[in-house]
Every structure is written in structure tokens, then in C-alpha cells.
Amino acid sequence: MILTVTLNAALDVTYFVDEVTPHASHRVTQPVERAGGKGINVARVLAALRHPVLATGLVGGTTGRILREDLRASGLKDALVPVRGESRKTITVVSERNGDATVFNPPGPHVDPQSWRAFTRRFAELAARADVVVLAGSLPPGLPCDSYAGLLATARDAGAVTVLDTSGAALLAALDAGPDVIKPNAAEIREVTGRSDVADAAAELQARGARTVVASDGPQGLHAVTPEGRYRTLPPAQLRGNPTGAGDACVAALAAGLATGLPWPDLLRDAVALSAAAVSAPLAGDFRRDLYDQFRTTATVSVERPHAADSH
């Protein structure tokens, strides 16, 4: 079983417009509202791939109730833990003309110590049943930046493989806990390391505690620093669409590959293929199955191994 954790779950509202123009009124053609947050998006992709998956995290208020109802309607199993306050709503505006997405992310509800203790107890129970634990997204207000580090330690003690997708101080604080895989994007990894070269930045984060670093770089594909060496995985084509769910699809592929024991070249090929297929889908958490099957079964995705990684 793969367990996904979304500490700052959201009701994602997506507006599709012809083109985003500042200081102008826009006619929305296809408003969509559904449960989201990075870990929940990962769970959607895993469920579509028919992997056993359970989503946990924190939800609150009327928005949290609507979020859970949407998960049930989607057939996604959840073990979300209630908190005081109201879960956030995120707004994404997608330009259908060029595929650009503009995202507005509120901070989320304040999490008090009592609610956090209740969640960590529940998490320990769930992690003991999981083969892979995915921790994804931002921390809501009230949680210290080392919150992921504590969850990683719990999952490791339970024998689960861990995948972390977060940024900033939460990412740096988690490195001491030795996550098995971290998946920052290019902007996030440059921010926390100060390095312009993504591959070198990934190597630095591995040296600071992560066992494997997979950095996504949009159209430039994936840079991976693993215990076996460094890899560069290139996407099959330059695709237009909504890129907001590509990173979540990448994390889903990493979790699935770790659960099934894929070797790194095959796992990374699968990850870049699924990410590309997600760009062509209209909503985060979705992907185009036809493109995924095409990209991962043809030679359009290449894996390079430029040089061996430093021992770690």
C-alpha cells in the first residue's frame, strides 16, 4: 500500500479562460471544483494506475467536508484527520490559448498542538501498513518547519520507503531525517541551495541527507542523483497544456516504481513519461493514458548517465 500525506489539503477551483489578460474581465468557460493538494493529486494518479493507495492529511470546516465528499465520489480512500478551522481553497486560472496556469495558494487553517498530536498518532498507525509513504505539499500555519522530519522518522521506523515533495525551510529541515527520495523542482532546489546548476544542486542536497534527489526541470526533464549514479531523463516532446499537475504525476511514478522495485533507469523513464502525459490533461491529478503508454513504451524518452555520483 502507498500512503500519501497532504497536511495542507485544498479544494482546488480551476477556471479555464481563452487567455489571461491583466486588468481585464474574463469569461470562464469550464469552472471545475474538486479535492486537491499535492498528496491528494498523487493519490489520484496512483489510483488511476491501479496501485493500492490511501490518502491521509488534515482537513477542516465546510470546505474539508466537501473535499472528503469529492474523494468518496471519486472512489479514493481517505483517512483524513479533522482540524479546527477551514481548509483552504486554491484558485488556478488556465489560459487555453497557450496552456499557462496562474495559481493562487492561500495559507490554510492554523493547526493547534492537540490536532497535530492526534494526526501523528494516526499517521504512525497508517505508516505501519504502508510500503511507501509520500509526504507532499506545504505546511499549514501552526506547524514548525521540522514537522516533515518527524513524520519521516516515524515512517522509517515503520519500515516504509519515503518520498518527500516540499520546498523551502520544510525541505531543508527534513534532510536530517534522511528521506529516501526528495522531488523538488528547479526553482525550489535553486532557492534552497543558491546553485544555478540543477544537477549540482541535487548533488548538494544528497550530500546533506537525502538518499536520492530527483529534480524536475520542466521541459528540460529530470535530473536525478541516486546511490547508483547521476541520471538525466529527457521528456518525449515539448507539450502544451496545464503544467500544474506534472510534478504530482512525477511523484506518483516515483512512489509506484519504488513500491514495485523498478531499477532507476526504468523508474525515471516512467516518471518523465507520466509527467508529460499529465501536462496534456486539463486538471492536476489527471493524465492522458494514451500518451503515457506511448511515451513509456517507445524510445522517445532517453536516460543518460553522465558520470558517477559521489559516494554517499
Side-chain angles (χ1 to χ4, degrees):
M1 188 265 287
I2 299 174
L3 177 68
T4 72
V5 177
T6 312
L7 297 180
N8 210 1
L11 191 64
D12 287 342
V13 182
T14 303
Y15 297 116
F16 295 89
V17 300
D18 181 54
E19 187 174 19
V20 178
T21 305
H23 316 297
S25 177
H26 296 78
R27 186 177 299 278
V28 178
T29 56
Q30 303 176 54
V32 179
E33 189 174 278
R34 70 175 186 177
K38 294 184 74 63
I40 287 175
N41 293 337
V42 171
R44 285 188 188 276
V45 175
L46 287 168
L49 294 172
R50 299 189 176 181
H51 286 276
V53 61
L54 178 66
T56 189
L58 303 171
V59 293
T62 301
T63 304
R65 177 179 55 78
I66 296 171
L67 189 154
R68 296 192 75 178
E69 289 173 352
D70 179 73
L71 290 177
R72 284 192 289 271
S74 301
L76 284 170
K77 296 180 180 179
D78 85 83
L80 292 162
V81 176
V83 296
R84 299 183 181 91
E86 194 77 19
S87 288
R88 62 190 181 138
K89 288 185 179 181
T90 66
I91 305 295
T92 301
V93 182
V94 179
S95 171
E96 295 189 292
R97 180 165 298 179
N98 56 25
D100 286 345
T102 302
V103 184
F104 300 88
N105 288 316
H110 185 276
V111 179
D112 60 82
Q114 181 181 354
S115 297
W116 182 240
R117 286 193 295 270
F119 174 77
T120 55
R121 288 193 297 268
R122 182 62 170 142
F123 174 75
E125 297 170 356
L126 297 173
R129 297 160 40 195
D131 299 299
V132 178
V133 174
V134 175
L135 305 116
S138 61
L139 295 175
L143 295 186
C145 65
D146 64 351
S147 295
Y148 276 133
L151 298 181
L152 287 164
T154 298
R156 182 186 62 242
D157 291 344
V161 176
T162 54
V163 182
L164 176 67
D165 182 9
T166 192
S167 59
L171 172 59
L172 291 178
L175 295 176
D176 288 340
D180 290 298
V181 180
I182 61 172
K183 207 291 301 166
N185 62 34
E188 292 164 348
I189 201 169
R190 288 176 177 131
E191 177 190 0
V192 297
T193 64
R195 293 177 178 266
S196 59
D197 184 87
V198 175
D200 289 344
E204 177 180 327
L205 293 189
Q206 187 196 49
R208 294 174 67 171
R211 181 171 174 79
T212 291
V213 182
V214 179
S216 56
D217 196 8
Q220 305 306 312
L222 301 177
H223 300 264
V225 181
T226 79
E228 300 173 7
R230 295 189 186 187
Y231 296 89
R232 175 74 180 281
T233 313
L234 302 175
Q238 299 297 314
L239 301 174
R240 294 180 58 185
N242 179 6
T244 56
D248 301 331
C250 179
V251 172
L254 294 173
L258 291 167
T260 56
L262 281 180
W264 277 110
D266 294 336
L267 195 159
L268 294 169
R269 182 178 291 109
D270 214 41
V272 79
L274 192 57
S275 298
V279 170
S280 298
L283 298 172
D286 290 343
F287 65 95
R288 280 186 52 183
R289 170 75 67 165
D290 59 330
L291 292 180
Y292 172 53
D293 291 339
Q294 173 190 338
F295 295 157
R296 71 191 181 105
T297 57
T298 67
T300 56
V301 180
S302 62
V303 177
E304 304 169 3
R305 191 174 183 177
H307 50 84
D310 296 334
S311 60
H312 176 65

